[in-house]
Amino acid sequence: MALLQISEPGESSAPHQRRLAVGIDLGTTNSLVASVRSGEAICLPDERGRSLLPSVVHYDGNQVLVGYEARALQAVDPLNTIASVKRLMGRGQEDVTRLANVVPHEFVAAEASTVPRIRTAGGDFSAVEISGEILKCLAQRAEQSLGGGPEGVVITVPAYFDDAQRQATRDAARFAGLNLFRLLNEPTAAAVAYGLDQDADGLIAVYDLGGGTFDISILRLNKGVFEVLATGGDSSLGGDDMDHALGEWIVEQAGFSDIDAVLARKILIAARSAKEQLSHGDSATISIDHAQPWQAEIERAQFSDLIEPLVRKTLSACRRALRDAGIDKQEIAEVVMVGGSTRVPLVQTMVGDFFGRKPMCELDPDQVVALGASIQADILAGNKPDSDMLLLDVLPLSLGIETMGGLCEKIIERNTAIPVARAQEFTTFKDGQTAMSIHVVQGERELVSDCRSLARFELRGFPPMVAGAARIRVTYQVDADGLMSVTAEETTSGVAADIVVKPSYGLTDQEIETMLRASMDHAREDIEARMLREQQVEARRVIEAIDAALVQDGEALLSESELSAIRLKRNELEERLESAGSDELKQLIKAVEQVSETYVARRMNASVRQALAGKQIDEVDV
Amino acid sequence: MQSPELSLDYFELFGLNPVFDIDPILLNAAQQRLQASHHPDRHVGSNEQDKRLSVQIASRVNQAYETLRDPVKRSRYLLEINGATLPDDSATTADTEFLMEQIELREAVEACRQGEDALARSEAIETRLEQRAAGLAREFVERFEAGRFDEAIESSRKMQFVQRIQQQLDELQFELEDF
């Protein structure tokens, strides 16, 4: 093999054609982008060498700031600075109202939309758009350091994310103009980052305590295939809660009252800083710079007492996941630690005690997920054709439909391997009924009101029949990303129903289109303008060529009707030349070319005949 | 054009003999082999039609795996592909003696919640249930292989009863162990 790789002298060997692909960890507190370069996964740093990008976005009237610059404005301009937006993904108006005392923002209901917007000086924005800004920023970073835009991305989500939250993440990728290869569960990505696919087969627990979410996943590794046996966790439990617990302690100790948004920020920032200090030291100093300045010492043991209930809550979720997987904790071969909050010593100790083994925390717990995502992206891009690695996932929460009396009938159980499809048959209960509605929910509870509403599907257009005669087969399909779609067919007639999806907490396709158009940045406008100019030039060329040809031999070669058909299309093109967009012009040009096909062929033949006339066979260069 | 993966029965799809006693190792190996070639991740660069097909096939493989892995579902599926008409899930058994035993077992599980040695007592019931399930499985195989489908359906149904109590016990043991 080596012989073939030797290059000619003076000629550098052609670089292996790799398709650029990146993995993105779109985190609650921080986000990262990573890529596999020369066979090694690395997090891509910004121009100042920092790989973390704080998941904070600041809007003012003129510009959008993302990352450190935005985070720096948190304390001074909290209303226009959005942090932890991941918590708002796939959430509705009622959910954010519940968050009203946690976040300082003003939420506004957008017209004809189920998705709340945050009011800022720069306008009203949904969580999808705000996350999209973070993605754009990371994609830009990737483009700069890789020397080209990525062809595809893998974005990680907590394994616990429901359908609406996954859809929202997918929509954010779309908003950012990224080609999404796959949504990957964060814990699976972590196991991949540790290269456990190279290890002996066995069971792995991934304990992921991030800023805003906790996930526990039980994976089985078998000859390079990772199979998620069970996932569990809490989509609103994380390091932020530790900050809040400590924040409450500060408020109590300092005796603060009248806490406005600015002070609340300061308290949380001080709490976070103390938490980070306590990961290394035995005590930390907390100081709040305020009209009523305050300073105090806190011991690690005190902090541990404050957060112990939170850690216990995570272990309870671990037990449930183990049980769902049908295994004992003694069977776990490795415990992988993920998320910045696993730096907290109490977390490491309690998790170690629970599983009876030392957890793996050699890799930077903030980077692990992005690194794993980039390895998966590299494989999906086709850069590693020999890789056996395959990540099989399960549905994190049961899918059900609403039945009589507001009860939930499970269609697909939690922890079912995905992709998966289930079909159900319904019939009509009225003569001539041509439509029906299905309310799909996600969750484990009996009552629909206790589950998460996903969407209402209106099925229309099946043929009218006598009541009870129609057989409507509804198929619920969950894809490999955990996203659900519904199709329906009346089986006796084979007529497919039209389906109108009304997402309960998601953006409709229409809304995303509108946002995309609104966000179309200058670069894109330039591209569109250039494409239009190119098409206009092409259109003029086509018109001139046709005119010239028709003058020459149009009447000789074409019948009256053929001639008028070509003129008709040519005139249509000329009429729309200045006003049409590039797509329409392209179509019109095509129409002229199509209608003149026969004419062009005849002209070719005629000119060939003319060229050949009077020549000897041997002069013709065949 | 129909892909064979979408029309084969589950046993054919997994390359297994259509019998009740299947080798779980072969089943797992076949599951992984099939997913390795049909999972959508293996078709990221393909055209839309191929992508859709891979989602369909991978879904079917998962559905088949789930059916074959579970003894009750497997027994019902075996009967189904052999032309037996299965009454729906909710049908009950007419064997009153069996039903009495089930009620007694259910009460024994509930009783575990009270008193000392809850876990030890629950483990005794667990063993008893496992033996019962194994006996019913043997009975099913005997009846099924003799072509006595109606009786085999009865065994399958009883297996389902026992499985439900096992799940109930499992839930209880989890609660007992949880802190």
Side-chain angles (χ1 to χ4, degrees):
Chain A
M1 285 312 280
L3 203 62
L4 294 171
Q5 286 169 353
I6 295 171
S7 311
E8 289 292 316
E11 187 184 272
S12 66
S13 80
H16 178 52
Q17 268 307 312
R18 289 184 75 81
R19 301 175 65 186
L20 300 178
V22 298
I24 292 179
D25 174 2
L26 186 58
T28 308
T29 315
N30 292 297
S31 298
L32 299 93
V33 58
S35 187
V36 174
R37 312 198 67 181
S38 315
E40 200 190 341
I42 52 159
C43 282
L44 305 175
D46 64 9
E47 67 279 4
R48 290 176 57 183
R50 301 170 297 199
S51 57
L52 290 181
L53 177 74
S55 302
V56 183
V57 180
H58 178 266
Y59 293 91
D60 62 23
N62 307 310
Q63 57 174 350
V64 183
L65 293 176
V66 181
Y68 290 97
E69 286 170 294
R71 199 174 74 178
L73 296 169
Q74 234 175 20
V76 289
D77 189 15
L79 292 177
N80 295 317
T81 312
I82 298 130
S84 300
V85 67
K86 193 171 178 179
R87 287 190 175 211
L88 305 176
M89 293 291 267
R91 294 294 177 219
Q93 198 68 45
E94 315 96 87
D95 305 306
V96 297
T97 322
R98 250 177 278 136
L99 283 170
N101 47 0
V102 184
V103 292
H105 307 294
E106 183 193 346
F107 290 97
V108 286
E111 205 181 316
S113 175
T114 54
V115 178
R117 311 299 205 263
I118 292 177
R119 176 142 292 171
T120 75
D124 300 343
F125 298 100
S126 69
V128 165
E129 290 163 284
I130 299 163
S131 297
E133 294 298 341
I134 299 169
L135 290 175
K136 275 188 201 170
C137 186
L138 292 170
Q140 222 169 6
R141 183 191 287 188
E143 194 168 342
Q144 274 158 10
S145 69
L146 298 175
E151 278 183 47
V153 300
V154 169
I155 299 177
T156 58
V157 289
Y160 214 63
F161 254 24
D162 67 24
D163 185 86
Q165 293 166 304
R166 284 168 198 263
Q167 296 278 6
T169 308
R170 190 200 58 174
D171 292 343
R174 203 168 139 194
F175 175 81
L178 298 173
N179 173 30
L180 182 65
F181 278 156
R182 178 84 134 86
L183 292 177
L184 179 64
N185 284 331
E186 289 162 5
T188 314
V192 172
Y194 269 102
L196 293 178
D197 54 313
Q198 314 288 328
D199 272 25
D201 295 348
L203 296 165
I204 302 157
V206 182
Y207 180 100
D208 180 350
L209 190 58
T213 54
F214 169 64
D215 280 297
I216 175 71
S217 299
I218 311 297
L219 313 184
R220 179 169 62 200
L221 172 65
N222 187 359
K223 297 184 192 70
V225 178
F226 280 106
E227 193 178 350
V228 180
L229 295 181
T231 71
D234 192 328
S235 55
S236 50
L237 176 66
D240 292 353
D241 296 289
M242 296 184 185
D243 300 347
H244 281 285
L246 186 50
E248 277 167 30
W249 181 84
I250 294 172
V251 170
E252 200 181 297
Q253 297 291 313
F256 286 128
S257 54
D258 292 336
I259 301 164
D260 59 8
V262 175
L263 178 59
R265 272 288 160 219
K266 282 182 181 168
I267 292 171
L268 283 180
I269 289 167
R272 183 164 59 205
S273 151
K275 176 185 73 178
E276 284 166 9
Q277 287 175 53
L278 289 168
S279 291
H280 313 289
D282 290 332
S283 68
T285 309
I286 304 170
S287 61
I288 310 274
D289 161 35
H290 184 59
Q292 179 194 341
W294 181 79
Q295 188 168 328
E297 282 282 303
I298 184 164
E299 300 285 316
R300 185 191 277 181
Q302 278 175 292
F303 176 62
S304 293
D305 284 347
L306 289 174
I307 61 164
E308 201 251 8
L310 296 171
V311 186
R312 277 171 70 100
K313 234 170 131 181
T314 68
L315 295 181
S316 192
C318 290
R319 301 176 66 84
R320 183 157 283 278
L322 285 165
R323 179 176 168 277
D324 285 349
I327 55 170
D328 288 330
K329 57 186 181 185
Q330 290 82 3
E331 294 175 63
I332 297 289
E334 292 291 359
V335 182
V336 174
M337 298 294 260
V338 186
S341 304
T342 61
R343 290 201 183 91
V344 173
L346 183 75
V347 173
Q348 291 182 6
T349 326
M350 284 178 74
V351 172
D353 288 349
F354 177 79
F355 285 102
R357 67 183 53 251
K358 197 186 168 302
M360 299 177 87
C361 32
E362 293 76 26
L363 291 175
D364 181 336
D366 284 322
Q367 294 193 358
V368 177
V369 167
L371 294 174
S374 74
I375 294 170
Q376 167 81 339
D378 193 46
I379 292 172
L380 295 182
N383 290 333
K384 262 181 138 181
D386 299 334
S387 170
D388 288 333
M389 192 179 87
L390 184 61
L391 309 176
L392 303 179
D393 273 333
V394 296
L395 187 70
L397 299 159
S398 300
L399 279 179
I401 58 162
E402 178 170 354
T403 59
M404 296 290 235
L407 291 175
C408 168
E409 182 192 332
K410 298 247 175 87
I411 304 288
I412 307 177
E413 292 278 339
R414 170 170 73 115
N415 286 330
T416 301
I418 53 174
V420 67
R422 287 277 195 288
Q424 243 191 341
E425 211 157 80
F426 294 94
T427 190
T428 46
F429 64 96
K430 267 192 213 151
D431 286 347
Q433 187 181 343
T434 59
M436 63 184 285
S437 166
I438 296 176
H439 182 203
V440 179
V441 299
Q442 195 162 25
E444 310 312 315
R445 306 282 293 277
E446 305 266 312
L447 290 176
V448 162
S449 53
D450 292 332
C451 291
R452 189 97 197 136
S453 172
L454 285 188
R456 281 169 211 275
F457 294 88
E458 277 173 22
L459 317 180
R460 292 194 187 129
F462 29 87
M465 293 186 199
V466 185
R471 291 276 169 272
I472 297 136
R473 193 179 167 78
V474 178
T475 306
Y476 308 87
Q477 173 78 61
V478 178
D479 68 12
D481 289 333
L483 298 175
M484 189 202 52
S485 58
V486 167
T487 50
E489 180 192 45
E490 200 288 308
T491 51
T492 57
S493 65
V495 174
D498 293 326
I499 297 189
V500 180
V501 187
K502 294 194 172 152
S504 310
Y505 301 105
L507 298 167
T508 60
D509 281 352
Q510 185 70 48
E511 284 179 85
I512 294 170
E513 283 300 316
T514 315
M515 284 175 186
L516 272 175
R517 235 172 280 136
S519 82
M520 201 80 95
D521 53 29
H522 292 303
R524 297 239 186 132
E525 283 167 14
D526 289 351
I527 291 171
E528 167 64 17
R530 199 177 67 221
M531 272 162 48
L532 179 62
R533 274 197 307 279
E534 280 170 8
Q535 292 299 332
Q536 284 172 340
V537 169
E538 176 67 7
R540 288 199 189 94
R541 192 194 64 76
V542 167
I543 292 169
E544 275 170 30
I546 279 284
D547 288 352
L550 288 179
V551 168
Q552 208 180 348
D553 53 20
E555 281 169 12
L557 294 175
L558 293 167
S559 72
E560 194 70 21
S561 64
E562 284 170 335
L563 198 58
S564 66
I566 292 175
R567 287 214 171 105
L568 180 72
K569 292 290 173 198
R570 177 229 170 265
N571 292 345
E572 272 177 21
L573 176 61
E574 187 172 41
E575 244 168 62
R576 301 282 300 145
L577 186 60
E578 296 300 330
S579 46
S582 67
D583 282 347
E584 189 190 343
L585 272 184
K586 210 171 168 180
Q587 292 302 318
L588 290 167
I589 293 170
K590 217 171 155 192
V592 174
E593 283 170 352
Q594 269 169 358
V595 77
S596 349
E597 259 171 23
T598 346
Y599 177 43
V600 172
R602 282 183 205 154
R603 295 194 82 217
M604 294 249 300
N605 289 338
S607 69
V608 170
R609 271 199 305 277
Q610 211 171 9
L612 292 178
K615 284 186 180 167
Q616 296 296 324
I617 294 292
D618 59 3
E619 286 176 70
V620 181
D621 187 15
V622 185
Chain B
M1 197 186 63
Q2 179 86 311
S3 176
E5 285 82 6
L6 296 176
S7 51
L8 292 173
D9 80 39
Y10 295 164
F11 289 97
E12 290 166 342
L13 182 62
F14 278 69
L16 298 168
N17 288 328
V19 294
F20 181 80
D21 290 310
I22 54 172
D23 184 342
I25 294 169
L26 290 181
L27 179 72
N28 287 335
Q31 148 84 355
Q32 298 212 335
R33 191 189 63 236
L34 287 164
Q35 288 296 5
S37 50
H38 299 296
H39 192 274
D41 279 359
R42 297 286 202 237
H43 299 262
V44 167
S46 308
N47 61 37
E48 284 307 313
Q49 196 193 348
D50 183 64
K51 281 185 189 171
R52 264 199 305 278
L53 187 66
S54 89
V55 174
Q56 279 176 6
I57 297 176
S59 299
R60 187 169 164 83
V61 170
N62 280 330
Q63 170 84 46
Y65 182 60
E66 208 170 285
T67 305
L68 296 185
R69 191 167 52 165
D70 179 273
V72 174
K73 287 182 187 158
R74 183 166 72 239
S75 68
R76 288 176 68 87
Y77 186 71
L78 259 179
L79 288 162
E80 206 182 297
I81 59 173
N82 279 280
T85 320
L86 293 170
D88 70 51
D89 269 352
S90 54
T92 178
T93 172
D95 185 340
T96 45
E97 197 181 322
F98 178 81
L99 284 175
M100 289 308 286
E101 185 198 350
Q102 295 306 298
I103 292 166
E104 183 241 316
L105 277 166
R106 225 170 252 278
E107 283 169 355
V109 170
E110 277 309 307
C112 281
R113 286 182 198 279
Q114 277 96 41
E116 299 286 302
D117 302 332
L119 216 51
R121 278 185 293 139
S122 81
E123 273 157 16
I125 301 173
E126 195 179 342
T127 315
R128 195 174 147 197
L129 285 169
E130 274 164 17
Q131 285 165 354
R132 201 73 181 86
L136 286 168
R138 275 197 303 278
E139 184 188 87
F140 172 84
V141 172
E142 218 177 275
R143 292 171 169 182
F144 175 73
E145 282 173 2
R148 305 202 305 270
F149 289 170
D150 284 347
E151 289 172 35
I153 290 171
E154 178 77 7
S155 306
S156 167
R157 185 168 315 292
K158 287 179 179 173
M159 280 160 67
Q160 192 170 5
F161 272 101
V162 173
Q163 193 182 57
R164 281 196 193 133
I165 300 177
Q166 279 176 319
Q167 282 161 356
Q168 192 191 345
L169 183 71
D170 200 34
E171 181 70 33
L172 178 98
Q173 284 179 337
F174 176 72
E175 284 170 29
L176 290 174
E177 285 167 21
D178 203 17
F179 37 79

